[in-house]
Amino acid sequence: MPELPEVETVRRGLAPAMEGAVIARLELNRPDLRFPLPENFAETVRERRIVSLSRRAKYLLIDLEDDLTVISHLGMSGSFRIEDETLGEFHHPRSKDQKHDHVVFHLRNGKGPLKVIYNDPRRFGFMQLWRRSELDLYPAFAQLGPEPTGNALDADYLAERFSGKSQPLKGALLDQTVIAGLGNIYVCEALWRAHLSPKRAAGSIVTKTGRPKKELGLLTGVIRNVIADAIAAGGSSLKDHIQTDGSLGYFQHSFSVYDREGGACCTPGCGGTVARITQAGRSTFYCPVCQK
């Protein structure tokens, strides 16, 4: 399932085409995806201007005028692509089978008509309508923690959440009520960069007085860096994820531990071998030598 960097990459790819454009028509080629599409979806958004594209955790938010937002989740195989009809040919190559084009945004952006197409072979994605001013009340957002790239995430905050916890550090970081949008790949990479074992108790990097230890301060900065690096590389293209122009993200080519079981640890002078264990049903990759 696409993680935060992949969704942020999609947002950045769509924004130049969609922001400021008017939805001339919304074409719905089926009544549902994972869930039924919103009632009167096409009629409600027709002729509304797209104010901005934003993101919350792993959700893409298409913000329309009049306090309305289209909440979109890519599921396992969802993707967007842009077709600019003013060029006579597709501006970007088709990335998926056309029979899986389920939702088509027909837009006017002042330069001519263009289409933004949502394609989803497995149909695990979804779209819903919500009031922008009430996004905090959306069920999936109500309990989300701060963004890993936002100012609210700091060592003091994590110390408060981790204090006294015997839960393994890997599981604590995957808890979406602690940090929103931080997924399995990037937790593995962040823990490797911070030289912290995924099996270590979350409370072990907090002092008895509830203050963050040096390791927690390092981890907080590393989380920001690994997410920033992944976004800059266009995310990680594992299985179905692609960018809006049909190309692949490249961060998977710089994985240090994820999916590298049996490979040499990349830490200079370590000499360890990347191991794989299962935690809470998820694969964890780490170096038992340098991650303590």
Short mmCIF file of all heavy atoms in Angstrom, two decimals, residues 115-173:
data_model
loop_
_atom_site.label_atom_id
_atom_site.label_comp_id
_atom_site.label_asym_id
_atom_site.label_seq_id
_atom_site.Cartn_x
_atom_site.Cartn_y
_atom_site.Cartn_z
N LYS A 115 -7.62 15.96 -18.82
CA LYS A 115 -8.25 14.92 -18.01
C LYS A 115 -7.27 14.42 -16.97
O LYS A 115 -6.09 14.20 -17.26
CB LYS A 115 -8.71 13.75 -18.89
CG LYS A 115 -9.84 14.09 -19.83
CD LYS A 115 -10.42 12.86 -20.52
CE LYS A 115 -9.46 12.29 -21.53
NZ LYS A 115 -10.10 11.18 -22.30
N VAL A 116 -7.77 14.21 -15.76
CA VAL A 116 -7.03 13.54 -14.70
C VAL A 116 -7.81 12.26 -14.38
O VAL A 116 -8.97 12.33 -14.01
CB VAL A 116 -6.87 14.42 -13.46
CG1 VAL A 116 -6.23 13.64 -12.32
CG2 VAL A 116 -6.04 15.65 -13.79
N ILE A 117 -7.14 11.14 -14.56
CA ILE A 117 -7.82 9.84 -14.54
C ILE A 117 -7.36 9.01 -13.35
O ILE A 117 -6.16 8.85 -13.12
CB ILE A 117 -7.54 9.07 -15.84
CG1 ILE A 117 -8.05 9.89 -17.04
CG2 ILE A 117 -8.19 7.69 -15.82
CD1 ILE A 117 -7.53 9.42 -18.37
N TYR A 118 -8.34 8.51 -12.60
CA TYR A 118 -8.04 7.60 -11.49
C TYR A 118 -8.25 6.17 -11.97
O TYR A 118 -9.33 5.80 -12.41
CB TYR A 118 -8.93 7.87 -10.29
CG TYR A 118 -8.67 6.91 -9.15
CD1 TYR A 118 -7.53 7.02 -8.36
CD2 TYR A 118 -9.55 5.86 -8.89
CE1 TYR A 118 -7.27 6.12 -7.34
CE2 TYR A 118 -9.30 4.96 -7.86
CZ TYR A 118 -8.16 5.09 -7.09
OH TYR A 118 -7.89 4.20 -6.09
N ASN A 119 -7.18 5.37 -11.89
CA ASN A 119 -7.18 3.99 -12.35
C ASN A 119 -6.90 3.08 -11.16
O ASN A 119 -5.98 3.35 -10.38
CB ASN A 119 -6.10 3.84 -13.44
CG ASN A 119 -6.03 2.44 -14.03
OD1 ASN A 119 -5.66 1.48 -13.36
ND2 ASN A 119 -6.35 2.34 -15.30
N ASP A 120 -7.65 1.99 -11.03
CA ASP A 120 -7.49 1.14 -9.84
C ASP A 120 -7.94 -0.29 -10.16
O ASP A 120 -9.11 -0.64 -10.00
CB ASP A 120 -8.31 1.71 -8.68
CG ASP A 120 -7.96 1.07 -7.35
OD1 ASP A 120 -7.28 0.03 -7.35
OD2 ASP A 120 -8.40 1.61 -6.31
N PRO A 121 -7.01 -1.15 -10.61
CA PRO A 121 -7.39 -2.52 -10.97
C PRO A 121 -8.03 -3.30 -9.83
O PRO A 121 -8.98 -4.07 -10.04
CB PRO A 121 -6.06 -3.15 -11.40
CG PRO A 121 -5.22 -2.00 -11.83
CD PRO A 121 -5.60 -0.87 -10.92
N ARG A 122 -7.52 -3.16 -8.61
CA ARG A 122 -8.05 -3.96 -7.49
C ARG A 122 -9.22 -3.29 -6.78
O ARG A 122 -9.90 -3.92 -5.97
CB ARG A 122 -6.93 -4.25 -6.49
CG ARG A 122 -5.74 -4.97 -7.11
CD ARG A 122 -4.72 -5.32 -6.04
NE ARG A 122 -3.47 -5.76 -6.63
CZ ARG A 122 -2.40 -6.15 -5.93
NH1 ARG A 122 -2.46 -6.15 -4.60
NH2 ARG A 122 -1.30 -6.53 -6.53
N ARG A 123 -9.40 -2.01 -7.04
CA ARG A 123 -10.50 -1.24 -6.46
C ARG A 123 -10.49 -1.26 -4.93
O ARG A 123 -11.54 -1.35 -4.29
CB ARG A 123 -11.86 -1.72 -7.00
CG ARG A 123 -12.03 -1.58 -8.49
CD ARG A 123 -13.48 -1.54 -8.91
NE ARG A 123 -14.26 -2.63 -8.37
CZ ARG A 123 -14.37 -3.84 -8.92
NH1 ARG A 123 -13.74 -4.09 -10.07
NH2 ARG A 123 -15.11 -4.77 -8.38
N PHE A 124 -9.30 -1.15 -4.34
CA PHE A 124 -9.21 -1.02 -2.89
C PHE A 124 -9.15 0.45 -2.46
O PHE A 124 -9.19 0.75 -1.28
CB PHE A 124 -7.97 -1.75 -2.35
CG PHE A 124 -8.09 -3.24 -2.35
CD1 PHE A 124 -6.96 -4.04 -2.19
CD2 PHE A 124 -9.31 -3.87 -2.50
CE1 PHE A 124 -7.05 -5.42 -2.19
CE2 PHE A 124 -9.43 -5.25 -2.50
CZ PHE A 124 -8.30 -6.02 -2.35
N GLY A 125 -9.02 1.35 -3.44
CA GLY A 125 -9.03 2.77 -3.13
C GLY A 125 -10.46 3.25 -2.94
O GLY A 125 -11.43 2.51 -3.11
N PHE A 126 -10.59 4.54 -2.59
CA PHE A 126 -11.94 5.11 -2.46
C PHE A 126 -11.88 6.62 -2.56
O PHE A 126 -10.82 7.23 -2.44
CB PHE A 126 -12.62 4.67 -1.15
CG PHE A 126 -11.91 5.10 0.11
CD1 PHE A 126 -12.11 6.37 0.65
CD2 PHE A 126 -11.07 4.22 0.77
CE1 PHE A 126 -11.47 6.76 1.81
CE2 PHE A 126 -10.43 4.59 1.94
CZ PHE A 126 -10.63 5.87 2.46
N MET A 127 -13.04 7.23 -2.79
CA MET A 127 -13.19 8.68 -2.77
C MET A 127 -14.44 9.02 -1.97
O MET A 127 -15.47 8.37 -2.11
CB MET A 127 -13.33 9.24 -4.19
CG MET A 127 -12.08 9.14 -5.03
SD MET A 127 -12.26 9.98 -6.63
CE MET A 127 -10.73 9.45 -7.42
N GLN A 128 -14.31 10.04 -1.13
CA GLN A 128 -15.44 10.51 -0.34
C GLN A 128 -15.44 12.03 -0.32
O GLN A 128 -14.40 12.67 -0.54
CB GLN A 128 -15.38 9.95 1.08
CG GLN A 128 -15.54 8.43 1.13
CD GLN A 128 -15.61 7.89 2.55
OE1 GLN A 128 -15.35 8.60 3.51
NE2 GLN A 128 -15.96 6.62 2.67
N LEU A 129 -16.61 12.61 -0.08
CA LEU A 129 -16.76 14.06 0.03
C LEU A 129 -16.89 14.44 1.50
O LEU A 129 -17.57 13.75 2.27
CB LEU A 129 -17.99 14.54 -0.74
CG LEU A 129 -17.87 14.60 -2.27
CD1 LEU A 129 -19.24 14.88 -2.88
CD2 LEU A 129 -16.88 15.66 -2.69
N TRP A 130 -16.25 15.55 1.89
CA TRP A 130 -16.31 16.00 3.28
C TRP A 130 -16.13 17.51 3.32
O TRP A 130 -15.51 18.09 2.43
CB TRP A 130 -15.20 15.32 4.09
CG TRP A 130 -15.50 15.20 5.56
CD1 TRP A 130 -15.08 16.05 6.55
CD2 TRP A 130 -16.28 14.19 6.19
NE1 TRP A 130 -15.55 15.61 7.76
CE2 TRP A 130 -16.28 14.47 7.59
CE3 TRP A 130 -16.96 13.06 5.74
CZ2 TRP A 130 -16.96 13.68 8.51
CZ3 TRP A 130 -17.62 12.27 6.66
CH2 TRP A 130 -17.63 12.58 8.02
N ARG A 131 -16.65 18.13 4.36
CA ARG A 131 -16.45 19.55 4.56
C ARG A 131 -15.02 19.82 5.00
O ARG A 131 -14.53 19.21 5.95
CB ARG A 131 -17.42 20.10 5.61
CG ARG A 131 -18.87 20.16 5.13
CD ARG A 131 -19.04 21.27 4.12
NE ARG A 131 -20.39 21.28 3.55
CZ ARG A 131 -20.72 22.01 2.50
NH1 ARG A 131 -19.81 22.77 1.89
NH2 ARG A 131 -21.95 21.97 2.03
N ARG A 132 -14.34 20.73 4.32
CA ARG A 132 -12.95 21.04 4.66
C ARG A 132 -12.83 21.52 6.10
O ARG A 132 -11.90 21.15 6.83
CB ARG A 132 -12.41 22.10 3.70
CG ARG A 132 -11.00 22.58 4.04
CD ARG A 132 -9.95 21.56 3.74
NE ARG A 132 -8.66 21.90 4.31
CZ ARG A 132 -7.54 21.23 4.10
NH1 ARG A 132 -7.56 20.18 3.31
NH2 ARG A 132 -6.42 21.60 4.66
N SER A 133 -13.77 22.33 6.53
CA SER A 133 -13.72 22.89 7.88
C SER A 133 -13.96 21.84 8.96
O SER A 133 -13.74 22.10 10.15
CB SER A 133 -14.75 24.02 8.02
OG SER A 133 -16.06 23.53 7.73
N GLU A 134 -14.40 20.65 8.56
CA GLU A 134 -14.70 19.59 9.53
C GLU A 134 -13.85 18.35 9.29
O GLU A 134 -14.21 17.25 9.71
CB GLU A 134 -16.19 19.23 9.45
CG GLU A 134 -17.11 20.38 9.79
CD GLU A 134 -18.58 20.03 9.65
OE1 GLU A 134 -18.88 18.92 9.16
OE2 GLU A 134 -19.43 20.86 10.03
N LEU A 135 -12.67 18.52 8.65
CA LEU A 135 -11.84 17.36 8.35
C LEU A 135 -11.38 16.63 9.61
O LEU A 135 -11.19 15.41 9.58
CB LEU A 135 -10.61 17.78 7.53
CG LEU A 135 -10.82 17.93 6.02
CD1 LEU A 135 -9.52 18.37 5.36
CD2 LEU A 135 -11.33 16.64 5.39
N ASP A 136 -11.21 17.35 10.71
CA ASP A 136 -10.79 16.70 11.94
C ASP A 136 -11.84 15.72 12.45
O ASP A 136 -11.53 14.86 13.28
CB ASP A 136 -10.49 17.74 13.03
CG ASP A 136 -9.20 18.50 12.76
OD1 ASP A 136 -8.41 18.04 11.91
OD2 ASP A 136 -8.99 19.56 13.39
N LEU A 137 -13.07 15.86 11.96
CA LEU A 137 -14.15 14.96 12.38
C LEU A 137 -14.28 13.74 11.48
O LEU A 137 -15.04 12.82 11.79
CB LEU A 137 -15.48 15.72 12.41
CG LEU A 137 -15.55 16.94 13.33
CD1 LEU A 137 -16.92 17.60 13.23
CD2 LEU A 137 -15.25 16.55 14.77
N TYR A 138 -13.56 13.74 10.36
CA TYR A 138 -13.60 12.58 9.47
C TYR A 138 -13.08 11.37 10.25
O TYR A 138 -12.03 11.44 10.90
CB TYR A 138 -12.75 12.83 8.23
CG TYR A 138 -12.76 11.70 7.23
CD1 TYR A 138 -13.92 11.39 6.53
CD2 TYR A 138 -11.62 10.93 6.98
CE1 TYR A 138 -13.94 10.35 5.61
CE2 TYR A 138 -11.63 9.90 6.06
CZ TYR A 138 -12.80 9.61 5.37
OH TYR A 138 -12.82 8.58 4.47
N PRO A 139 -13.81 10.24 10.25
CA PRO A 139 -13.45 9.11 11.13
C PRO A 139 -12.00 8.68 11.05
O PRO A 139 -11.38 8.39 12.08
CB PRO A 139 -14.41 8.01 10.66
CG PRO A 139 -15.61 8.74 10.16
CD PRO A 139 -15.07 10.00 9.52
N ALA A 140 -11.43 8.62 9.85
CA ALA A 140 -10.05 8.15 9.71
C ALA A 140 -9.04 9.17 10.22
O ALA A 140 -7.88 8.82 10.47
CB ALA A 140 -9.75 7.82 8.25
N PHE A 141 -9.45 10.44 10.38
CA PHE A 141 -8.53 11.49 10.81
C PHE A 141 -8.63 11.81 12.29
O PHE A 141 -7.74 12.44 12.85
CB PHE A 141 -8.79 12.79 10.03
CG PHE A 141 -8.57 12.69 8.54
CD1 PHE A 141 -9.00 13.70 7.70
CD2 PHE A 141 -7.93 11.59 7.99
CE1 PHE A 141 -8.80 13.62 6.32
CE2 PHE A 141 -7.72 11.50 6.61
CZ PHE A 141 -8.16 12.52 5.79
N ALA A 142 -9.73 11.40 12.91
CA ALA A 142 -10.04 11.86 14.27
C ALA A 142 -8.94 11.55 15.28
O ALA A 142 -8.69 12.34 16.19
CB ALA A 142 -11.37 11.27 14.72
N GLN A 143 -8.29 10.39 15.13
CA GLN A 143 -7.29 9.97 16.12
C GLN A 143 -5.86 10.00 15.58
O GLN A 143 -4.94 9.50 16.24
CB GLN A 143 -7.62 8.55 16.61
CG GLN A 143 -9.00 8.40 17.23
CD GLN A 143 -9.17 9.27 18.46
OE1 GLN A 143 -8.25 9.40 19.27
NE2 GLN A 143 -10.34 9.88 18.61
N LEU A 144 -5.66 10.58 14.41
CA LEU A 144 -4.32 10.59 13.83
C LEU A 144 -3.35 11.47 14.61
O LEU A 144 -3.72 12.54 15.11
CB LEU A 144 -4.37 11.09 12.38
CG LEU A 144 -4.90 10.13 11.31
CD1 LEU A 144 -4.88 10.82 9.95
CD2 LEU A 144 -4.09 8.84 11.27
N GLY A 145 -2.11 11.02 14.70
CA GLY A 145 -1.06 11.81 15.32
C GLY A 145 -0.55 12.86 14.36
O GLY A 145 -1.06 13.04 13.25
N PRO A 146 0.49 13.60 14.76
CA PRO A 146 1.05 14.64 13.89
C PRO A 146 1.76 14.05 12.68
O PRO A 146 2.16 12.88 12.68
CB PRO A 146 2.04 15.35 14.81
CG PRO A 146 2.41 14.34 15.84
CD PRO A 146 1.18 13.50 16.06
N GLU A 147 1.91 14.86 11.66
CA GLU A 147 2.64 14.46 10.46
C GLU A 147 4.13 14.31 10.78
O GLU A 147 4.67 15.08 11.59
CB GLU A 147 2.47 15.52 9.36
CG GLU A 147 1.06 15.66 8.84
CD GLU A 147 0.69 14.55 7.88
OE1 GLU A 147 1.56 14.12 7.09
OE2 GLU A 147 -0.48 14.12 7.92
N PRO A 148 4.81 13.36 10.14
CA PRO A 148 6.24 13.19 10.41
C PRO A 148 7.09 14.33 9.89
O PRO A 148 8.27 14.44 10.25
CB PRO A 148 6.58 11.87 9.70
CG PRO A 148 5.53 11.71 8.66
CD PRO A 148 4.29 12.32 9.23
N THR A 149 6.52 15.17 9.05
CA THR A 149 7.26 16.32 8.52
C THR A 149 6.87 17.63 9.19
O THR A 149 7.40 18.68 8.85
CB THR A 149 7.02 16.45 7.01
OG1 THR A 149 5.60 16.54 6.78
CG2 THR A 149 7.57 15.25 6.26
N GLY A 150 5.92 17.58 10.12
CA GLY A 150 5.41 18.80 10.73
C GLY A 150 6.16 19.20 11.99
O GLY A 150 6.90 18.40 12.59
N ASN A 151 5.95 20.43 12.43
CA ASN A 151 6.64 20.95 13.61
C ASN A 151 6.16 20.31 14.91
O ASN A 151 6.85 20.37 15.93
CB ASN A 151 6.48 22.47 13.69
CG ASN A 151 7.19 23.19 12.57
OD1 ASN A 151 8.20 22.71 12.06
ND2 ASN A 151 6.68 24.35 12.17
N ALA A 152 4.97 19.71 14.88
CA ALA A 152 4.44 19.11 16.10
C ALA A 152 5.19 17.85 16.50
O ALA A 152 5.11 17.42 17.66
CB ALA A 152 2.95 18.80 15.92
N LEU A 153 5.90 17.25 15.57
CA LEU A 153 6.67 16.04 15.88
C LEU A 153 8.05 16.45 16.37
O LEU A 153 8.87 16.95 15.61
CB LEU A 153 6.80 15.14 14.65
CG LEU A 153 7.61 13.86 14.89
CD1 LEU A 153 6.90 12.94 15.86
CD2 LEU A 153 7.88 13.15 13.57
N ASP A 154 8.30 16.25 17.66
CA ASP A 154 9.63 16.51 18.21
C ASP A 154 9.91 15.49 19.30
O ASP A 154 9.06 14.65 19.63
CB ASP A 154 9.75 17.94 18.73
CG ASP A 154 8.73 18.30 19.81
OD1 ASP A 154 8.22 17.38 20.49
OD2 ASP A 154 8.46 19.49 20.00
N ALA A 155 11.11 15.54 19.84
CA ALA A 155 11.53 14.54 20.82
C ALA A 155 10.68 14.60 22.09
O ALA A 155 10.38 13.56 22.70
CB ALA A 155 13.00 14.72 21.14
N ASP A 156 10.27 15.78 22.51
CA ASP A 156 9.46 15.91 23.72
C ASP A 156 8.10 15.23 23.53
O ASP A 156 7.59 14.57 24.44
CB ASP A 156 9.25 17.38 24.08
CG ASP A 156 10.52 18.02 24.62
OD1 ASP A 156 11.38 17.29 25.15
OD2 ASP A 156 10.66 19.25 24.49
N TYR A 157 7.52 15.42 22.34
CA TYR A 157 6.23 14.77 22.06
C TYR A 157 6.36 13.26 22.09
O TYR A 157 5.55 12.56 22.72
CB TYR A 157 5.70 15.23 20.69
CG TYR A 157 4.58 14.36 20.16
CD1 TYR A 157 3.29 14.48 20.64
CD2 TYR A 157 4.84 13.40 19.17
CE1 TYR A 157 2.27 13.66 20.17
CE2 TYR A 157 3.82 12.60 18.69
CZ TYR A 157 2.54 12.72 19.19
OH TYR A 157 1.54 11.91 18.72
N LEU A 158 7.39 12.72 21.42
CA LEU A 158 7.55 11.26 21.40
C LEU A 158 7.88 10.72 22.78
O LEU A 158 7.46 9.61 23.14
CB LEU A 158 8.63 10.88 20.39
CG LEU A 158 8.24 11.00 18.92
CD1 LEU A 158 9.40 10.58 18.02
CD2 LEU A 158 7.00 10.15 18.59
N ALA A 159 8.62 11.48 23.57
CA ALA A 159 8.92 11.04 24.93
C ALA A 159 7.64 10.87 25.74
O ALA A 159 7.48 9.90 26.49
CB ALA A 159 9.86 12.04 25.61
N GLU A 160 6.72 11.80 25.56
CA GLU A 160 5.43 11.71 26.26
C GLU A 160 4.66 10.47 25.83
O GLU A 160 4.04 9.79 26.65
CB GLU A 160 4.61 12.98 25.98
CG GLU A 160 3.27 13.00 26.68
CD GLU A 160 2.48 14.25 26.35
OE1 GLU A 160 3.05 15.19 25.77
OE2 GLU A 160 1.27 14.29 26.69
N ARG A 161 4.70 10.16 24.53
CA ARG A 161 3.95 9.00 24.02
C ARG A 161 4.63 7.67 24.35
O ARG A 161 3.97 6.64 24.48
CB ARG A 161 3.76 9.12 22.51
CG ARG A 161 2.95 10.32 22.06
CD ARG A 161 1.54 10.34 22.67
NE ARG A 161 0.79 9.15 22.37
CZ ARG A 161 -0.07 9.02 21.37
NH1 ARG A 161 -0.26 10.03 20.54
NH2 ARG A 161 -0.75 7.90 21.19
N PHE A 162 5.96 7.67 24.45
CA PHE A 162 6.70 6.42 24.66
C PHE A 162 6.99 6.13 26.13
O PHE A 162 7.36 4.99 26.46
CB PHE A 162 8.04 6.48 23.91
CG PHE A 162 7.93 6.41 22.42
CD1 PHE A 162 9.05 6.61 21.62
CD2 PHE A 162 6.72 6.15 21.79
CE1 PHE A 162 8.97 6.54 20.23
CE2 PHE A 162 6.63 6.08 20.41
CZ PHE A 162 7.75 6.28 19.63
N SER A 163 6.86 7.10 26.99
CA SER A 163 7.25 6.93 28.38
C SER A 163 6.55 5.73 29.03
O SER A 163 5.32 5.61 28.99
CB SER A 163 6.92 8.20 29.17
OG SER A 163 7.34 8.07 30.51
N GLY A 164 7.37 4.83 29.61
CA GLY A 164 6.82 3.67 30.31
C GLY A 164 6.33 2.54 29.42
O GLY A 164 5.85 1.53 29.92
N LYS A 165 6.49 2.68 28.10
CA LYS A 165 5.96 1.67 27.18
C LYS A 165 6.96 0.52 26.99
O LYS A 165 8.13 0.75 26.68
CB LYS A 165 5.66 2.29 25.80
CG LYS A 165 4.29 2.93 25.70
CD LYS A 165 3.93 3.19 24.25
CE LYS A 165 2.48 3.65 24.12
NZ LYS A 165 2.10 3.81 22.69
N SER A 166 6.45 -0.70 27.13
CA SER A 166 7.27 -1.88 26.85
C SER A 166 7.08 -2.37 25.42
O SER A 166 7.78 -3.28 24.97
CB SER A 166 6.91 -3.01 27.82
OG SER A 166 5.53 -3.35 27.70
N GLN A 167 6.17 -1.74 24.70
CA GLN A 167 5.91 -2.11 23.30
C GLN A 167 7.19 -1.92 22.48
O GLN A 167 7.92 -0.96 22.66
CB GLN A 167 4.81 -1.21 22.72
CG GLN A 167 4.45 -1.51 21.26
CD GLN A 167 3.43 -0.51 20.71
OE1 GLN A 167 3.25 0.57 21.27
NE2 GLN A 167 2.76 -0.88 19.64
N PRO A 168 7.48 -2.86 21.57
CA PRO A 168 8.66 -2.70 20.71
C PRO A 168 8.61 -1.38 19.94
O PRO A 168 7.55 -0.92 19.53
CB PRO A 168 8.59 -3.90 19.77
CG PRO A 168 7.82 -4.92 20.53
CD PRO A 168 6.81 -4.15 21.33
N LEU A 169 9.78 -0.80 19.75
CA LEU A 169 9.89 0.49 19.10
C LEU A 169 9.27 0.48 17.71
O LEU A 169 8.62 1.45 17.30
CB LEU A 169 11.37 0.87 19.02
CG LEU A 169 11.75 2.31 18.72
CD1 LEU A 169 10.99 3.30 19.59
CD2 LEU A 169 13.24 2.50 18.88
N LYS A 170 9.44 -0.60 16.97
CA LYS A 170 8.86 -0.69 15.62
C LYS A 170 7.34 -0.52 15.68
O LYS A 170 6.76 0.25 14.91
CB LYS A 170 9.23 -2.04 15.00
CG LYS A 170 8.45 -2.42 13.73
CD LYS A 170 9.00 -1.76 12.51
CE LYS A 170 8.22 -2.17 11.26
NZ LYS A 170 8.29 -3.60 10.94
N GLY A 171 6.68 -1.23 16.57
CA GLY A 171 5.23 -1.14 16.67
C GLY A 171 4.76 0.22 17.14
O GLY A 171 3.74 0.74 16.68
N ALA A 172 5.51 0.83 18.06
CA ALA A 172 5.14 2.15 18.56
C ALA A 172 5.19 3.19 17.45
O ALA A 172 4.35 4.09 17.38
CB ALA A 172 6.05 2.55 19.71
N LEU A 173 6.18 3.09 16.57
CA LEU A 173 6.31 4.05 15.47
C LEU A 173 5.26 3.83 14.38
O LEU A 173 4.89 4.78 13.68
CB LEU A 173 7.71 3.96 14.87
CG LEU A 173 8.84 4.48 15.74
CD1 LEU A 173 10.20 4.15 15.12
CD2 LEU A 173 8.72 6.00 15.96
#
